[in-house]
């Protein structure tokens, strides 16, 4: 539909999707989404195989295989909030609404992935510690991270696409990101029950590392796919709101 | 696969994948809603344009 198309790109590459909006990159944008979706589905199947069959059984039991989904979803949550952080800075700097839409879309995906991180972590905790939740530094800082970005989404839903709302959300998106390195370093800064970063410390057996990397790549592809879908949704929403406002004001 | 914690493994994988498919479905529903809204606005614009043209001819 013609009215649904995104606003014209002012300078290629200066905005999300800017480069892909023009010239011979158009087919990449058109078919790239299908390729990305297909790669994600294949990646999901390979991840299930690698996590449940390929990786060796741990001494503690099969529930340890939760790690192959828990770690990747946590990684993607961090990535999503990093995108919110970068896009919020660019929005405040360039005053381009497309960066705001990207930050909004990424925050939504980030909250979904953080929720899944907390749920899968809780299941692992119940199996290993015998408790659904402990007020451990890693868990608590992750819960705070979840609250920060839920607040971001609530702020967006209350203020909509108003300039002041977008600015306030961008500031929250930037300040909120401070919690991400705190979550990451919490296992080093405080005495915690949560396991240390075995991948970083090079203590993980090769087969487990391969399975984990496959899962990380797959969930990153899934994140990219979801982000594109949500960005398109917010772009269409903005176009609809603008058109309706224009029609009603005439 | 075996072990006392197997049920937690099954729950974790089920929640992850069912969760994503439900979320994708929700995005698709929202997308459909916005497209319907756009279609409504487009009809409104066409209606006004038609009225404007008819008004000009009279």
């Amino acid at each position: 539909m013609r009215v649904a198309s995104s606003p014209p790109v002012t300078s290629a590459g200066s905005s999300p999707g800017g480069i892909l909006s023009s010239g011979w990159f158009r087919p990449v944008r058109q078919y790239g989404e299908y390729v990305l979706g297909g790669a994600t589905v294949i990646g999901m199947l390979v991840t299930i195989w690698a996590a449940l069959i390929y990786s060796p059984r741990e001494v503690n039991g099969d529930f340890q295989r939760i790690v192959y989904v828990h770690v990747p979803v946590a990684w993607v949550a961090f990535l999503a909030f990093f995108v919110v952080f970068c896009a919020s800075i660019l929005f405040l700097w360039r005053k381009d609404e497309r960066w705001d839409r990207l930050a909004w879309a990424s925050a939504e995906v980030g909250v979904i992935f953080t929720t899944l991180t907390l749920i899968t972590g809780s299941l692992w905790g119940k199996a290993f510690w015998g408790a659904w939740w402990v007020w451990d530094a890693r868990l608590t800082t992750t819960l705070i991270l979840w609250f920060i970005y839920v607040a971001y989404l609530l702020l967006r839903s209350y203020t909509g696409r108003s300039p002041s709302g977008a600015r306030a959300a961008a500031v929250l998106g930037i300040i909120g990101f401070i919690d991400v390195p705190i979550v990451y370093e919490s296992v080093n800064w405080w005495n915690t029950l949560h396991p240390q970063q075995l991948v970083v410390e090079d203590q993980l057996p090769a087969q487990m590392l391969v399975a984990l990397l496959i899962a990380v790549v797959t969930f990153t592809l899934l994140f990219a796919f979801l982000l594109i879908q949500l960005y398109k949704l917010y772009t269409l929403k903005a176009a609809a709101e603008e058109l309706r406002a224009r029609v009603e004001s005439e | 696969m075996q072990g006392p914690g197997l049920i937690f493994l099954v729950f974790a994988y089920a929640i992850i994948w069912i969760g994503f498919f439900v979320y994708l479905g929700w995005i698709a529903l929202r997308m459909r809603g916005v497209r319907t809204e756009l279609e409504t606005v487009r009809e409104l614009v066409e209606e006004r344009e038609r009225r404007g043209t008819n008004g000009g001819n009279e």
Side-chain angles (χ1 to χ4, degrees):
Chain A
M1 193 189 302
R2 198 152 51 87
V3 286
S5 63
S6 48
V9 178
T10 46
S11 59
S14 65
S15 54
I19 291 172
L20 297 179
S21 301
S22 58
W24 51 274
F25 277 106
R26 199 167 287 151
V28 177
R29 191 184 189 187
Q30 212 170 0
Y31 298 110
E33 221 175 289
Y34 297 111
V35 173
L36 187 62
T40 308
V41 171
I42 293 166
M44 275 182 173
L45 297 172
V46 177
T47 299
I48 291 170
W49 168 79
L52 301 181
I53 298 163
Y54 174 74
S55 68
R57 188 172 189 269
E58 275 204 47
V59 184
N60 293 320
D62 278 315
F63 72 89
Q64 290 283 9
R65 294 177 199 270
I66 290 175
V67 166
Y68 301 113
V69 288
H70 175 70
V71 173
V73 291
W75 146 255
V76 171
F78 287 173
L79 179 66
F81 298 140
F82 180 66
V83 173
V84 177
F85 173 73
C86 294
S88 298
I89 290 173
L90 286 163
F91 169 69
L92 292 177
W93 180 31
R94 295 283 179 99
K95 306 274 186 286
D96 188 333
E97 207 187 317
R98 282 171 289 187
W99 290 116
D100 178 50
R101 285 204 292 270
L102 182 69
W104 193 348
S106 195
E108 188 181 314
V109 182
V111 167
I112 296 288
F113 276 84
T114 310
T115 307
L116 291 171
T117 304
L118 290 168
I119 292 170
T120 52
S122 187
L123 285 164
W124 184 89
K126 180 66 183 170
F128 194 64
W129 299 324
W132 293 106
W133 183 265
V134 286
W135 291 102
D136 172 85
R138 173 59 71 86
L139 277 70
T140 308
T141 49
T142 308
L143 186 65
I144 291 168
L145 187 72
W146 185 82
F147 277 124
I148 289 170
Y149 286 93
V150 166
Y152 178 99
L153 293 181
L154 285 174
L155 180 67
R156 297 314 312 247
S157 71
Y158 283 126
T159 58
R161 287 174 56 239
S162 69
S164 58
R167 272 197 305 276
V171 171
L172 183 59
I174 294 164
I175 294 171
F177 187 73
I178 293 170
D179 193 37
V180 171
I182 296 173
V183 174
Y184 183 79
E185 286 296 335
S186 59
V187 287
N188 300 322
W189 290 347
W190 295 287
N191 287 325
T192 63
L193 286 170
H194 192 282
Q196 300 289 309
Q197 293 129 352
L198 296 174
V199 180
V200 178
E201 288 166 15
D202 209 14
Q203 292 175 8
L204 216 59
Q207 270 181 306
M208 290 180 77
L209 188 63
V210 169
L212 197 57
L213 286 176
I214 289 170
V216 166
V217 170
T218 300
F219 279 92
T220 308
L221 290 175
L222 179 63
F223 164 67
F225 183 75
L226 289 173
L227 189 61
I228 290 169
Q229 299 312 309
L230 276 178
Y231 180 76
K232 275 168 63 180
L233 174 69
Y234 286 137
T235 304
L236 284 174
K237 225 173 177 176
E241 280 173 21
E242 269 170 32
L243 273 174
R244 186 167 277 279
R246 206 181 298 168
V247 167
E248 282 169 1
S249 69
E250 278 172 6
Chain B
M1 279 193 285
Q2 55 189 355
L6 193 61
I7 189 74
F8 298 108
L9 177 74
V10 173
F11 270 130
Y13 278 69
I15 287 167
I16 288 277
W17 269 279
I18 292 169
F20 280 126
F21 283 113
V22 168
Y23 183 53
L24 269 173
W26 186 46
I27 292 175
L29 277 177
R30 287 155 77 192
M31 195 82 94
R32 202 167 68 179
V34 176
R35 282 187 204 282
T36 310
E37 163 81 4
L38 272 167
E39 192 60 34
T40 311
V41 178
R42 192 179 63 86
E43 279 166 14
L44 206 64
V45 169
E46 280 175 1
E47 178 74 26
R48 289 204 177 188
E49 277 175 359
R50 235 188 344 262
R51 268 192 221 159
T53 314
N54 289 344
N57 290 340
E58 281 163 10

